[in-house]
Amino acid sequence: MIGRPLSTWADHLRGRLPIALGVAVVGAAARLSMPSPPARTADAIAGMLGEAIGGSVSPDDFVWEERGGFLSDALLGRRVLFLGVAGPRDVAGPRDVAGPPDGERAPDAERAPEGRGAADLYRARVRLTRSGRPVSLSGVRNLTETPLGDDRNLVARGRRVAVTTSAFGAVQGITLLDLGGGARPGAPLGERLRAAVDGWLETGSADGVSRTEISFDSPPASARLDLADEALVMALGPEAVPAALSAGTGELDTGGSDPFGARAHRVPRRVSSFAELAGLSAGRLLGPGAAAAVERLALAADSAAAGLRAGPDAAYLTHGPASPEPAPPGWPSLWPPPPVQPAVDPPLPGEGAWVLVAPSLPRVLPGIDGDPQRPSSPFAATTIRPDPQRREVRVHLLAIDTRHVKFTLQAGFEAPRPTAGLHGTGTLPDAPALRGAIGLGAGPRDPVALHEEAEALGMVVGGRPLVPPRDGAATLAVDASGRPYFGAWPSGAGVERVPWVLWQRPAAASPGEPRGEGPRRFPWSLWQGPSLFEAASAAAPAGDAALSPGEGDDLVVERAALCATDRGFVVHAWGSALDAAALRAALARAGCVAGVSLGRAPDPLGVAFLSAQPDGRLTAERLSPAMSLAPPAHVASASPGPFLYFSSRSTDGPPPPDLSLPGERVGWTVDGGAQPPPAWSPAVYAADTVHLGAQVRVHAFAPDRFLFRLRAGSREISPRNAPKLAAEVPEGERQQVLAAIGVGTGRRRGPRGLAVGGTVGLRFRGEGGLLLVRRGRVEIRPAGGVELAPDMDATEVPLTADDGRLRPEAREIGTMRRRGAACALDDGTLLVATTTFDSDEATTEALLDLGCARVVALDRGAHRNAFVHRASGDPALQQGYEETALFAVGLAMPGRARRLTVDAPP
């Protein structure tokens, strides 16, 4: 009984012995064919680390973390931190090590002045022998993931590590990591489990890491770091300006001197949902295709669940139907927008009709009671059905009066994932003028999915690039005054068409060199979305500027978009169950000329109105309860995703004027003549200055508030066979003419050139300066080289200053008479200076002191007296003059939203 089983076991082993020997031989051969473990040297370990990321690591750029215990170090390996320059990404390679494609990294000369390439901070585990020789390496994670930023100056002490991130020739920020500070000991078990999985995916540790980041208003050229027991000590710039960051409290101490505008921000750590973790895991292990499939499954499940429950419809608290904004007789009313024409017949009650939104939160506009021309609310809402074939589809529209509201972009602390610097803060300002927030798409969170794109969509906040703009991408840009711009971001030389004001910093910004001087410069603020909307009738950019339909356009999910109308107002469009085609149809019916898609589910979308309470707390209320934008994410804490918040342009009076009023000691006052409506926003200002002993009167005319028309004077000569030039403005514009500016009359012999409406009445000689009127706006140019279009007016006049310097023509002595000069500022403001003097020097110097770069004298050659006549003024306006005159036709104040390129206004 006992021997038989032993014999059976012997026979069993004897029959399988050759197989076992074969496996042993193959294993031994495989082991012998492997390279021997690296030597116990820094160079060998650096080479092993560089090979793991497919790039290179310097022997001075890695540090060991604290020991994790004998068993952990022996079985799993000891953790190491290192700065590595990854090589080109191998798509078929492992998913936890991702070197970006060649096209995604800027040239080495731009990113890393030392010529070593741009490095990222990595973390890995290295198994060591008892003698310290490395055996194997695993679990590589990229902790910073900034393809366009160069991480350097690695320092570590205990569980803390710090690096600087440089890009575009300056230090964009400094990051302090706490390698054990991400744990959540008091959280529920489910939350701790999700946090552990998320931490392992992101950092290779279930504890995760906590981050504190230091950003700069004016980035220093260099920075040196050192870690003390409880502080990060910094020496900023070539002057080694000292600063210190408390590791425990996150407080930044600049010692009273802060030339770089340093700010510290502790980045919150959000716990991902199980659906998000499933997508991240699929992306890490199987690639972006699997992550997209998981996202579709999650969206389908969410849509099915939404169909089983009765979702709340939009329920606006309103003032009732929006009546037209009061306007003087003969002037149009611009607010609210025209009713939206329904696409489905018969329309639902109230469909397409605007109602003024009155959230239950306090919503007071200053000056309403005392000004009958001021609307009761800058927000109007309506609902439309854009698709006759699918009558159940509804799109909710919110119109925003940009004359009273300004916008600001803010990046989330998690998205967009920065490629050139630090994360955003995701916080709202502590401002009494705050009125609401609009959710923006976050883009890919997984770095693997990010690298699959040729280039990430851009985001710039306060001049600081988180992700540089992508050429041709749908762009929402905001200047320092809060004016929004919509369109495709141009490429190459087309960037010069971007409005000048988008590159400017606000006057209150900290001193320092403008951000991005040199190889790259960046606008004040922008966000790029997945797709662009351009109205078919609008003068859209070239066809390749608009993005092709994006992936997932066929999904019927929550979507949102933002656009500018032909009146300059902003419209937010949102629906809980839309495809991309329905959203585009809604934008077209709302009168949009340009806009961007804000994203789709699962991004949080919608509009939340905000209001400050007496105790200082912010409370929030969504426009529709069905919107996925969670107000507490923006009010009670920081937001993980980007958003656009809006606020009143003024809290204690009318909004500031939309024109430049330069000169710190110039006493600008509202001009006493008639103004275009509305009365609460004057468009003509005046000031008196003294130059060369002469009192100079200067008038400022706001851009976008006037159409300028140049008309020939009755004393202008008319050569034989020359066409007759118009002497008066069109009859339909005469009632709106608010000013006439004398330009003089040509001499009998050798008159200067003159053209009206593209018709040349007097030949241009190409001498001096050129006062050009294009699409109703005045431009000052050197004479010659300008091809006149049919809608242009132009006259040659003396050029008295160029490039900010006085020319000899300004000092030519003549008769003592009334003289005038003009210039156009970068934002389109027209300045006209008049005085009595014997040369054009006094008026020219007055305009140069106000910031003008190029000035012309208003004298066509016959030395007639200059004048500025105003409606309701003395002397009175005339329909025509003996002198050629520039007429200012007033316009009712439009909204402030614009197209992105200067040659394509709304």
Side-chain angles (χ1 to χ4, degrees), residues 509-607:
S510 60
E513 293 297 322
R515 185 181 299 275
E517 289 290 324
R520 293 291 298 272
R521 61 173 182 157
F522 299 99
W524 176 245
S525 192
L526 68 77
W527 172 87
Q528 293 185 319
S531 59
L532 174 72
F533 172 84
E534 292 278 2
S537 61
D544 58 357
L547 298 182
S548 59
E551 182 183 356
D553 278 1
D554 59 319
L555 294 175
V556 179
V557 294
E558 182 186 23
R559 295 179 184 273
L562 200 69
C563 71
T565 69
D566 56 353
R567 295 185 176 186
F569 300 129
V570 163
V571 171
H572 178 272
W574 173 90
S576 60
L578 303 174
D579 60 11
L583 189 59
R584 284 193 291 266
L587 295 179
R589 289 195 167 270
C592 297
V593 295
V596 296
S597 168
L598 301 183
R600 60 172 174 82
D603 291 328
L605 302 172
V607 178

Side-chain angles (χ1 to χ4, degrees), residues 406-408 478-483 501-502 504-507 524-525:
K406 62 181 179 179
F407 296 89
T408 307
V478 180
D479 66 25
S481 73
R483 182 194 295 265
V501 71
L502 265 175
Q504 304 307 301
R505 300 167 67 92
W524 176 245
S525 192

Side-chain angles (χ1 to χ4, degrees), residues 65 85 96 140 262 289 299 327 369 480 556 559 595 607-608 615 635 641-642 693 725:
E65 293 187 32
V85 180
D96 58 340
V140 179
L299 291 174
D369 296 336
V556 179
R559 295 179 184 273
V607 178
D615 59 1
V635 179
L725 300 180

Side-chain angles (χ1 to χ4, degrees), residues 16-40:
R16 286 160 176 75
L17 182 60
I19 298 177
L21 290 176
V23 171
V25 169
V26 170
R31 181 65 186 89
L32 293 174
S33 65
M34 293 177 60
S36 60
R40 187 184 173 184

Side-chain angles (χ1 to χ4, degrees), residues 867-903:
F867 61 84
V868 176
H869 291 173
R870 294 276 286 111
S872 304
D874 186 21
L877 279 175
Q878 303 175 27
Q879 287 191 11
Y881 289 86
E882 292 183 347
E883 299 86 355
T884 294
L886 184 67
F887 290 89
V889 181
L891 297 174
M893 183 182 183
R896 305 174 72 238
R898 294 291 180 268
R899 283 182 177 273
L900 186 58
T901 51
V902 294
D903 56 353

